[in-house]
Amino acid sequence: MLKPNHNWSPESWQRRPALQQPVYRDPAALGRVLQEVARLPPIVVSWEIDRLREELAAAQRGERFILQGGDCAEGFEDCESDTIARKLKILLQMSLVLLHGLRRPVTCVARMAGQYAKPRSADSETREGLSLPCYRGAIVNRAAFTAPDREPDPQLLLRGYERAALTLNFVRALVDGGFADLHHPEYWDLGFMQHAELRDAYQRIVDSISDSLHFFEALSGGPIHETTQTRFYASHEGLHLHYEQAQTRYLPRRGRWYNLSTHMPWIGMRTSDPAGAHVEFFRGIANPIAVKVGSGMPAELPLELIRILNPDDEPGRLTLIHRFGAGRIGELLPPMIEAVRRSGSTVLWICDPMHGNTETTPQGIKTRRFDNILAELEAAFRIHEEAGSVLGGVHFELTGDDVTECVGGARGLSEQELARAYRTSVDPRLNYEQALELAMLIARHRQTAA
Ligand code: PEP
Ligand code: CO
């Protein structure tokens, strides 16, 4: 059997068709920037990556649960202390609710500190007869519709590297300072949560966890540390292969190549061709990796991906994030689970109930319905259970802010209200209340199902 890095090098992807890559006008300028990114210190380190792989392996066995979430696309302006703290807070609040409901430790994998490159369905955009390159995310070009803004600029790769490092630096400081400690849920006040029932339900969960902690600490005579700290990691779509390559280093002590731009990079739906450049690049890195899978893909495709990306069936190495949509999951997920089972390999299954449920309102606004998101999640739990498989995590696009991008939820956000605070640069995100409500509904639903 081929070893993961057989005939592989950090640049071997360049011999394959690479979709979704920007075209730079001045390749020499790109080369200089990449050299600089390659020389700068890593954003994450290998022992964190290895620890995450172990936690993902535990989730695969049903002993842990993964909460992956954050913006569809981060902007450089999101690198700001309040925005970062609010995003961290909503993820921690959701993980607390999930821990309580699922009775499993939770690992948070944020879509954060590097989620700067976006796949697009077309290369160019035309407005009033003018065609310009599409906006491809903050490390590639700028969103404003002018020729200079849309020109891919290599300097943005450096700015993105810096913003990712600044973001993660602040997250680490907050986590180390006790922000993620279950002893201090009071750090995570409910901000602009206005829905009284949700507020009360959340408070009951916090009280119940505090009581249990005090009970066990009284019994054991000291603070319980190990399990009371939520584990927090970074992830992004590993789309811009020159950038990912520049951060990939050989670590002689471990004898493997690590992509040190993030803990867990993933391959998006549009770049998951087994013969393509992304799969080739991901094959050789030691990180735990994920691939998005969805409708339009043959049920057998995951088998090919498993063979290439995890030939040794290493636990925690490969996650399949399925995103079929509420209407299609019932038909498409069972044969995929069955195909993977027949292969004899194991993967971690995560459900992304966002990307298969995107729609456009009659006013032309891209949105998602809370009810469809919840329906897909409930179907995912049920289908895995019926198949004797494990749903080990969930993947959301969300924000810690009071935006109006998805319709529905406890306060019944309507299509007419979307315009009030619609701020996403790409896909619609759950707002703070909707995100917490969803965590509560999963937890409640699981408790009644158990
Ligand atoms: C995304 O996660 O923002 C995304 C583009 O997803 P997908 O690759 O599943 O379409
Ligand atoms: Co998205």
Side-chain angles (χ1 to χ4, degrees):
M1 183 168 285
L2 290 184
K3 283 285 161 206
N5 39 15
H6 175 82
N7 216 2
W8 181 92
S9 71
E11 63 278 337
S12 57
W13 64 268
Q14 296 182 21
R15 297 191 288 275
R16 301 281 185 93
L19 301 182
Q20 301 283 345
Q21 305 303 292
V23 180
Y24 291 93
R25 192 171 290 191
D26 180 356
L30 172 67
R32 283 192 297 276
V33 165
L34 293 172
Q35 265 178 7
E36 191 162 350
V37 173
R39 203 180 51 77
L40 289 164
I43 291 176
V44 304
V45 288
S46 61
W47 54 93
E48 294 168 344
I49 292 175
D50 290 341
R51 196 178 61 187
L52 173 59
R53 194 189 308 101
E54 284 167 23
E55 292 179 28
L56 294 164
Q60 203 169 306
R61 295 190 300 269
E63 296 161 10
R64 195 170 256 284
F65 196 72
I66 307 300
L67 170 62
Q68 188 172 26
D71 293 300
C72 180
E74 284 178 281
F76 291 169
E77 69 287 356
D78 294 324
C79 183
E80 187 251 344
S81 54
D82 285 348
T83 308
I84 295 169
R86 280 198 296 270
K87 217 174 299 166
L88 184 60
K89 196 174 79 173
I90 181 61
L91 287 168
L92 291 172
Q93 285 172 335
M94 291 173 82
S95 61
L96 182 92
V97 169
L98 292 170
L99 162 83
H100 185 255
L102 303 177
R103 307 266 179 247
R104 277 183 258 169
V106 175
T107 293
C108 262
V109 182
R111 283 177 70 116
M112 201 170 170
Q115 176 52 16
Y116 293 130
K118 295 307 297 175
R120 303 315 304 254
S121 40
D123 283 338
S124 62
E125 184 182 341
T126 304
R127 291 190 201 172
E128 292 165 8
L130 177 63
S131 283
L132 294 176
C134 268
Y135 174 58
R136 290 190 171 274
I139 54 168
V140 175
N141 54 4
R142 299 174 180 85
F145 195 73
T146 73
D149 283 313
R150 290 294 176 92
E151 184 62 34
D153 176 358
Q155 285 299 322
L156 295 175
L157 292 168
L158 260 180
R159 300 287 88 80
Y161 161 85
E162 290 158 1
R163 298 279 160 141
L166 292 169
T167 302
L168 203 56
N169 177 58
F170 187 50
V171 167
R172 288 184 197 285
L174 288 171
V175 169
D176 290 349
F179 200 72
D181 192 327
L182 296 184
H183 289 94
H184 298 292
E186 71 275 11
Y187 290 173
W188 319 338
D189 69 90
L190 285 175
F192 28 69
M193 167 69 73
Q194 283 165 12
H195 196 267
E197 244 175 75
L198 280 179
R199 213 171 234 290
D200 292 349
Y202 179 75
Q203 195 54 48
R204 280 197 297 277
I205 292 172
V206 167
D207 293 345
S208 155
I209 290 179
S210 299
D211 285 352
S212 313
L213 269 181
H214 291 141
F215 176 71
F216 280 108
E217 290 181 343
L219 278 186
S220 68
I224 306 173
H225 287 300
E226 220 354 70
T227 52
T228 56
Q229 186 91 3
T230 300
R231 296 282 175 76
F232 208 88
Y233 299 92
S235 68
H236 64 244
E237 180 171 349
L239 184 70
H240 193 303
L241 289 174
H242 278 299
Y243 178 77
E244 303 300 326
Q245 179 192 328
Q247 282 278 302
T248 296
R249 312 212 170 144
Y250 184 71
L251 302 185
R253 266 187 314 117
R254 299 183 188 247
R256 300 180 78 174
W257 292 87
Y258 282 76
N259 177 353
L260 300 173
S261 75
T262 192
H263 297 112
M264 185 189 192
W266 77 83
I267 301 178
M269 266 284 280
R270 294 168 187 78
T271 48
S272 60
D273 178 359
H278 289 79
V279 171
E280 170 61 16
F281 175 74
F282 276 64
R283 174 170 79 91
I285 56 174
N287 306 53
I289 58 175
V291 189
K292 295 279 203 94
V293 292
S295 63
M297 265 183 180
E300 305 290 316
L301 183 86
L303 304 188
E304 184 94 349
L305 293 171
I306 289 169
R307 194 181 56 72
I308 299 170
L309 296 172
N310 194 18
D312 294 333
D313 198 20
E314 192 185 353
R317 154 73 174 167
L318 182 60
T319 298
L320 295 181
I321 305 176
H322 54 75
R323 30 87 87 221
F324 293 108
R328 312 269 339 251
I329 184 170
E331 161 205 349
L332 298 173
L333 179 58
M336 199 175 268
I337 296 176
E338 185 46 36
V340 171
R341 185 207 310 284
R342 275 201 314 274
S343 78
S345 298
T346 47
V347 297
L348 169 64
W349 294 101
I350 289 186
C351 174
D352 163 1
M354 312 299 293
H355 288 88
N357 291 313
T358 316
E359 56 186 275
T360 306
T361 68
Q363 294 77 35
I365 303 176
K366 222 184 190 191
T367 190
R368 292 163 171 156
R369 291 175 196 284
F370 188 90
D371 288 348
N372 288 340
I373 295 169
L374 181 61
E376 179 163 0
L377 271 178
E378 290 186 340
F381 276 106
R382 181 179 45 74
I383 292 167
H384 279 286
E385 221 156 66
E386 285 171 5
S389 166
V390 175
L391 182 66
V394 284
H395 181 120
F396 296 120
E397 286 185 342
L398 55 81
T399 159
D401 295 329
D402 188 16
V403 300
T404 54
E405 298 170 7
C406 292
V407 297
R411 280 208 279 158
L413 194 83
S414 68
E415 281 180 22
Q416 288 67 38
E417 286 170 283
L418 287 176
R420 181 168 62 79
Y422 194 94
R423 299 204 204 110
T424 183
S425 61
V426 187
D427 286 340
R429 303 160 294 177
L430 295 163
N431 66 25
Y432 173 72
E433 271 190 354
Q434 290 169 328
L436 194 58
E437 183 185 0
L438 206 53
M440 290 203 189
L441 290 171
I442 303 173
R444 202 174 298 160
H445 185 258
R446 289 290 92 199
Q447 274 172 329
T448 34

